[in-house]
């Protein structure tokens, strides 16, 4: 009967494109995806069935053919395919939150939101002043001590360089002497030299308690803190938190000057452009304090310059509360970098003097800036 039916089917319909894409034997469940192209003999219409799609389209005759085929030839396949379609539709309708939703609903972001709301309610300041004061407080309490410690570690590492160079000379002589005695190849002698030099440098870092990883502690704290505060301000500005919508209303009227509404982007682009210029100024201040940049440092500096420019359109598309925080944080960063150059501050933090240390850092910085960016006639 099945053979007779299949022989007669081409006179009215053409069945094509049948694919079995996945079979899960571990759970004894078949996940089948089929595509049927049913064409009427008169060629007036065609209809497709796609299992796994919530919007299944079948003509009346096509439905009869589908039931007839699976009812006669493969009833168990018909039941399995129907179940697979239902399971696939259920899985498609499930909306799992992405990584940003997890981050926006994370505990650090909620703590940051509570901190900002608490500061605003206790101080009674408008939201624009709350954001500025909170940013200054965070930079002064958390970032400034870490920046001073970073400078302390870098100064100790810099003071170790003459000793490392002296030990490297003696080690190179000893390795060369043993290489001649033992008949080492040049490659093997270089291997022993690098291995022992790494061991000596590691011992010096341990002796002076100045491992380079400690100098990167500021980055591992500052970047997550910047992200948490930014997302917290975005949640408060867009009203997607568990707090009352009154906070969003306060932010909508909590601005000043040309940005009265902190929940909307800065349409004048004053804050975004100022942010980009401030970030570029920080980069240039960092490069002017160094006598000569290595090839890697040049690539890194150019990359950071590019990021500073990219941040301008990004800041123009986010709520003004975020761009105000970014601008304030960068502006405080300029003052922090200038403070790190102060001999009085370095002496207060007991930062060792180095070869690159200057008693007149601000004059030297201004002279370097004028020399580099002055218009040559």
């Amino acid at each position: 009967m099945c053979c007779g039916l299949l022989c007669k089917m081409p006179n009215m319909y053409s069945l094509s494109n049948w694919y079995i894409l996945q079979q899960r034997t571990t759970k004894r469940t078949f996940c089948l995806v089929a595509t049927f192209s049913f064409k009427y003999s008169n060629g007036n219409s065609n209809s497709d069935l796609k299992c796994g799609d919530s919007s299944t389209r079948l003509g009346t005759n096509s439905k009869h053919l589908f039931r007839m085929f699976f009812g006669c030839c493969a009833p168990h396949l018909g039941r399995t395919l129907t179940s697979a379609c239902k399971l696939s539709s259920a899985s498609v309708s499930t909306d799992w939150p992405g990584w940003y939703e997890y981050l926006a609903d994370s505990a650090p972001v909620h703590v940051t939101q509570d901190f900002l709301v608490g500061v605003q309610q206790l101080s009674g300041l408008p939201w624009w002043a709350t954001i500025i004061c909170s940013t200054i407080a965070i930079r002064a309490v958390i970032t400034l001590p870490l920046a001073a410690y970073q400078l302390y570690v870098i100064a100790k590492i810099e003071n170790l360089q003459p000793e490392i160079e002296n030990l490297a000379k003696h080690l190179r002589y000893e390795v060369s002497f043993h290489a001649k005695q033992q008949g080492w190849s040049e490659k093997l002698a270089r291997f022993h030299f690098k291995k022992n030099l790494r061991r000596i440098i590691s011992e010096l870092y341990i002796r002076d308690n100045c491992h380079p990883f400690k100098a990167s502690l500021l980055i591992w704290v500052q970047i997550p803190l910047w992200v948490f505060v930014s997302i917290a301000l975005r949640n408060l500005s867009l009203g997607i938190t568990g707090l009352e919508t009154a906070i969003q209303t306060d932010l909508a009227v909590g601005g000043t000057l040309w940005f009265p509404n902190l929940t909307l982007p800065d349409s004048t682009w004053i804050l975004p452009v100022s942010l980009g210029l401030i970030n570029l100024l920080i980069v240039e201040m960092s490069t002017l304090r160094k006598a000569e940049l290595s090839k890697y440092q040049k690539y890194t500096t150019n990359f950071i310059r590019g990021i500073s420019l990219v941040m301008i359109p990004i800041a123009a598309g986010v709520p003004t509360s975020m761009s105000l925080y970014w601008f304030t944080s960068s502006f405080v960063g300029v003052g922090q970098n200038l403070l790190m150059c102060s001999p009085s501050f370095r002496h207060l933090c007991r930062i060792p003097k180095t070869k690159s240390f200057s008693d007149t850092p601000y004059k030297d910085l201004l002279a370097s800036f004028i020399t580099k960016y002055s218009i040559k006639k």
Side-chain angles (χ1 to χ4, degrees):
M1 180 177 179
C2 294
C3 295
L5 177 63
L6 293 175
C7 292
K8 294 179 182 179
M9 283 169 56
N11 296 329
M12 297 180 62
Y13 307 94
S14 64
L15 176 64
S16 63
N17 298 335
W18 167 255
Y19 301 100
I20 300 177
L21 296 183
Q22 186 177 3
Q23 180 179 6
R24 297 180 181 176
T25 57
T26 55
K27 296 183 179 180
R28 297 182 180 180
T29 303
F30 296 93
C31 180
L32 306 176
V33 178
T35 302
F36 292 92
S37 298
F38 297 97
K39 296 182 180 179
Y40 291 99
S41 57
N42 55 11
N44 293 330
S45 63
N46 54 28
S47 57
D48 295 337
L49 167 68
K50 295 184 180 180
C51 296
D53 189 357
S54 57
S55 60
T56 303
R57 299 180 297 274
L58 270 177
T60 305
N61 293 330
S62 302
K63 290 182 179 178
H64 289 306
L65 177 62
F66 179 78
R67 295 171 182 170
M68 192 186 311
F69 175 73
F70 282 104
C72 298
C73 300
H76 61 282
L77 273 179
R79 291 191 296 269
T80 305
L81 184 57
T82 304
S83 301
C85 293
K86 293 180 180 179
L87 289 173
S88 179
S89 299
S91 63
V92 169
S93 61
T94 304
D95 187 16
W96 294 100
W99 64 269
Y100 181 81
E101 284 75 11
Y102 281 116
L103 182 60
D105 198 32
S106 61
V109 173
H110 284 297
V111 171
T112 307
Q113 290 175 190
D114 295 339
F115 168 75
L116 294 172
V117 174
V119 170
Q120 196 277 331
Q121 292 177 351
L122 289 175
S123 63
L125 296 172
W127 267 104
W128 67 268
T130 301
I131 293 173
I132 293 176
C133 293
S134 299
T135 305
I136 295 174
I138 291 173
R139 298 279 299 200
V141 174
I142 299 177
T143 308
L144 183 60
L146 291 176
Y149 181 70
Q150 180 188 50
L151 195 61
Y152 172 81
V153 173
I154 292 175
K156 297 190 76 172
I157 293 175
E158 184 177 349
N159 289 334
L160 277 177
Q161 297 309 309
E163 185 176 357
I164 291 175
E165 293 176 1
N166 188 26
L167 292 174
K169 289 181 181 179
H170 287 83
L171 179 62
R172 186 176 288 107
Y173 174 78
E174 292 181 2
V175 170
S176 177
F177 178 77
H178 285 284
K180 291 180 180 180
Q181 283 188 338
Q182 303 294 333
W184 293 347
S185 62
E186 184 179 353
K187 184 178 180 180
L188 183 60
R190 192 183 304 112
F191 168 76
H192 283 287
F193 172 76
K194 292 182 178 180
K195 179 181 177 181
N196 286 277
L197 183 61
R198 284 194 298 267
R199 176 182 56 82
I200 292 173
I201 294 175
S202 179
E203 291 175 354
L204 291 177
Y205 287 158
I206 294 173
R207 185 196 70 185
D208 290 359
N209 192 20
C210 59
H211 195 279
F213 178 78
K214 295 181 179 180
S216 65
L217 185 61
L218 174 63
I219 299 176
W220 296 108
V221 174
Q222 186 174 4
I223 293 179
L225 186 63
W226 183 85
V227 172
F228 294 149
V229 176
S230 300
I231 296 178
L233 288 171
R234 183 181 184 275
N235 290 347
L236 294 173
S237 301
L238 300 182
I240 56 177
T241 66
L243 302 175
E244 294 80 358
T245 55
I247 296 177
Q248 185 184 12
T249 305
D250 294 341
L251 282 167
V253 295
T256 185
L257 299 178
W258 68 89
F259 51 95
N261 191 341
L262 294 177
T263 63
L264 298 178
D266 183 8
S267 58
T268 63
W269 282 59
I270 295 178
L271 282 176
V273 173
S274 301
L275 170 67
L277 294 177
I278 289 292
N279 288 335
L280 289 175
L281 179 61
I282 293 175
V283 176
E284 298 309 314
M285 287 174 58
S286 177
T287 56
L288 289 175
R289 288 202 302 263
K290 298 178 181 178
E292 186 177 355
L293 296 177
S294 63
K295 189 175 182 180
Y296 173 76
Q297 289 175 335
K298 290 180 180 178
Y299 287 146
T300 305
T301 302
N302 291 331
F303 175 76
I304 297 175
R305 285 171 179 159
I307 294 295
S308 301
L309 296 177
V310 170
M311 285 298 295
I312 295 177
I314 294 177
V318 299
T320 307
S321 59
M322 294 177 63
S323 57
L324 177 62
Y325 163 66
W326 294 350
F327 170 77
T328 306
S329 180
S330 297
F331 188 81
V332 175
V334 173
Q336 179 178 295
N337 288 342
L338 292 175
L339 182 62
M340 292 297 168
C341 299
S342 172
S344 301
F345 180 80
R346 295 172 68 99
H347 178 73
L348 179 64
C349 297
R350 297 181 179 180
I351 299 174
K353 289 187 177 182
T354 61
K355 186 178 179 180
S356 60
F357 176 78
S358 173
D359 293 328
T360 58
Y362 304 120
K363 291 183 179 180
D364 297 342
L365 187 63
L366 181 60
S368 300
F369 186 85
I370 294 175
T371 302
K372 183 175 182 181
Y373 296 104
S374 60
I375 301 176
K376 297 181 180 179
K377 295 182 181 180

